[in-house]
Amino acid sequence: MMEIAPNFLTDIIDEDIENGLKERIHTRFPPEPNGYLHIGSAKAIFINYFIAKKYNGLFNLRYDDTNPVKEDTEFVESIEEDLRWLGANPDAIFYGSDYFDQCYEYAVKLIRDGKAYVCDLTPDEMREYRGTLTQPGRESPYRGRTPEENLDLFERMKNGEFPDGSRTLRAKIDMASPNLNLRDPAIYRIVRAHHHRQGDKWCIYPLYDFAHPIQDAIEGITHSMCSLEFENHRPLYEWVVDNIGFDPKPKQREFARLNITNTVMSKRYLRELVETKRVDGWDDPRMPTLCGLRRRGYTPSAIFSFVQRAGIAKTNSLVDERLLEYCIREELNANAPRRMAVTEPVRLIIDNYPEGKVEYFEIANNPVDPEAGARKVAFSRELYIERTDFAEAPPPKFQRLKPDGEVRLMGAYIVRCVQVVKNEAGDIVELHCMADLETGNGMPADGRKVRGTIHWVSAAHAVDADVMLYDNLFTLEDVNAVPEGTNYLDYLNPDSLRALKGCKLEASLAGAKPGDRFQFVRMGYFCKDSHNAHTFNRIVTLKDSFKL
């Protein structure tokens, strides 16, 4: 199992232990079920799961389902599926909505203690009263309500007596605080929406900043590790924990989010791509979602290796997507079986090879792994080769097939092109060759050197398939910083998918199962698609331009 490298978060925990922390280390991953997890989520999972394991602690999955408007059981189920696919199996699964009764009682406690009040300001008025970074806020005219009046109004909010959005429950903290999150933040709002788990029991819902520390404290979370945008919310987290009176107290600490070149991580943007059908669903292999990466052929180990190598720090940065490609390429180079596939086929006929004859050549499954053995590949008179492996007017140093030129057919004979057959449109439809039948897996008897080697597939044994070639979803490197006057959708890559129909694969690939990964020799790494029985998705090319 992978282990997390020492980082500033483990340093904090080590210091806490040295200072007498006696509780068992307990972490959590708290996704909101309003979309599918993406590779940025994998960083949060990696940190919380592997830190728990490093200290022999516990790891919870807790759904942050406090906003019923956009949440759905589809997303709930997908989140657990993705977590288990990554191998980050939680020790327990909880739902934030199961704590609604306790959240309500804690809100009542704050009201009784004079630390919360019901406010009638509209959302626009609240923003106006809040002030700015340079100007303090103004107190709400409803801030002076008595605890008794607030208790009555809050109960009536719960009972559904008031319209949506007409009142909020606010924490009474400090309208002059330099931290805007402490300027009497709303902690409950009125929302009439069916909840995927609680049904229609509630018409008031706690806000995340109020519910989250309560959930952490109830579950015994020792270290609540979240992304950097919550750093300014930490004082409110601690205010809630302190004023409710939890002991022991969970500790919130923040790390930088994972941002990757040429893609987006915002669920809002990802949802828009899906709903406007710019992609083929949440699991489109071009998406940075975990289900999309899984369908494309990425592995949990490659994703976690990428997260580890990208680093765990407190400074936001943009990670080159080629590092992710490097990680999966490194893994598949070592263990992916090699197979021959012709993606843009042209027929090659060996004129001096007997019609009807079939022989089998042994070809290594993986030259990098001697223990991978070899397979027998059928060879016949008629083959398919890549159209780009022949040039009628070759450029300088072209080492593939050309008129009157020789190449080695991988693992088999040397052949010489003797005739080019074209159709009426001038397209090449057949290449006729003569084979040196003494060179099957051997050198020419006369000692001549043949530099080029190309792959092939026997026409009589070929498996028909479609091959999908994927590229970056966006042409802009930093999609989070689009130029003024433009929209992120303006940078969608029109060439992010190239579908190759009528490809010819060697016969052994007929038995490939969804999710099986291969190197198509000289072409790249590919995965059998989980949706379409005759489709293979390119995971990554063979060429590696990234340097660690």
Side-chain angles (χ1 to χ4, degrees), residues 340-342 344-354 357-361 363 377-387 401 407-416 429-435 437 454-463 504-506:
M340 291 194 288
V342 177
E344 297 182 85
V346 62
R347 190 176 292 266
L348 184 149
I349 300 171
I350 303 175
D351 291 338
N352 65 329
Y353 195 87
K357 180 180 178 179
V358 177
E359 60 183 315
Y360 291 86
F361 288 99
I363 299 180
V377 181
F379 184 93
S380 60
R381 186 173 187 267
E382 295 192 13
L383 311 173
Y384 290 110
I385 67 168
E386 288 288 344
R387 189 168 296 273
L401 193 61
V407 293
R408 164 81 68 180
L409 296 176
M410 183 177 290
Y413 299 110
I414 291 173
V415 297
R416 177 183 296 275
V429 293
E430 284 182 1
L431 300 170
H432 286 260
C433 293
M434 298 292 287
L437 298 178
I454 63 174
H455 63 281
W456 50 272
V457 172
S458 168
H461 304 84
V463 175
K504 305 294 183 180
L505 317 183
E506 71 169 78

Side-chain angles (χ1 to χ4, degrees), residues 465-511:
D466 297 331
V467 170
M468 302 296 160
L469 305 182
Y470 294 103
D471 202 347
N472 295 328
L473 190 54
F474 292 91
T475 58
L476 189 66
E477 182 176 87
D478 188 354
V479 191
N480 297 310
V482 298
E484 187 175 352
T486 65
N487 182 280
Y488 82 105
L489 294 174
D490 296 333
Y491 300 94
L492 277 170
N493 182 4
D495 300 317
S496 62
L497 170 59
R498 182 182 171 206
L500 302 179
K501 305 290 185 179
C503 302
K504 305 294 183 180
L505 317 183
E506 71 169 78
S508 64
L509 287 167

Side-chain angles (χ1 to χ4, degrees), residues 61 97 329 363 425 452:
L61 165 60
S97 59
R329 190 182 286 112
I363 299 180

Side-chain angles (χ1 to χ4, degrees), residues 280-344:
D280 185 25
W282 288 94
D283 66 348
D284 187 306
R286 293 168 292 179
M287 291 277 274
T289 53
L290 293 180
C291 57
L293 290 165
R294 176 165 67 246
R295 183 178 171 190
R296 183 159 172 174
Y298 277 83
T299 64
S301 51
I303 290 171
F304 280 156
S305 176
F306 165 70
V307 171
Q308 181 94 287
R309 285 168 163 166
I312 299 169
K314 288 207 67 169
T315 304
N316 284 319
S317 61
L318 188 64
V319 182
D320 195 324
E321 52 89 22
R322 291 178 301 169
L323 175 58
L324 176 60
E325 293 179 350
Y326 176 93
C327 292
I328 187 64
R329 190 182 286 112
E330 179 182 55
E331 179 177 322
L332 295 180
N333 180 56
N335 60 36
R338 273 51 169 172
R339 296 293 184 262
M340 291 194 288
V342 177
T343 59
E344 297 182 85

Side-chain angles (χ1 to χ4, degrees), residues 11 26 31 112 131 137-138 149 224 229 241 262 308 324 326 340 360 374 420 423 441 518 547:
D11 291 344
H26 199 159
R112 286 190 177 129
R138 291 181 290 148
E149 187 178 4
S224 181
E229 65 263 33
V241 169
N262 300 101
Q308 181 94 287
L324 176 60
Y326 176 93
M340 291 194 288
Y360 291 86
V420 179
N423 60 18
N441 257 336
F518 305 91
K547 302 299 181 185

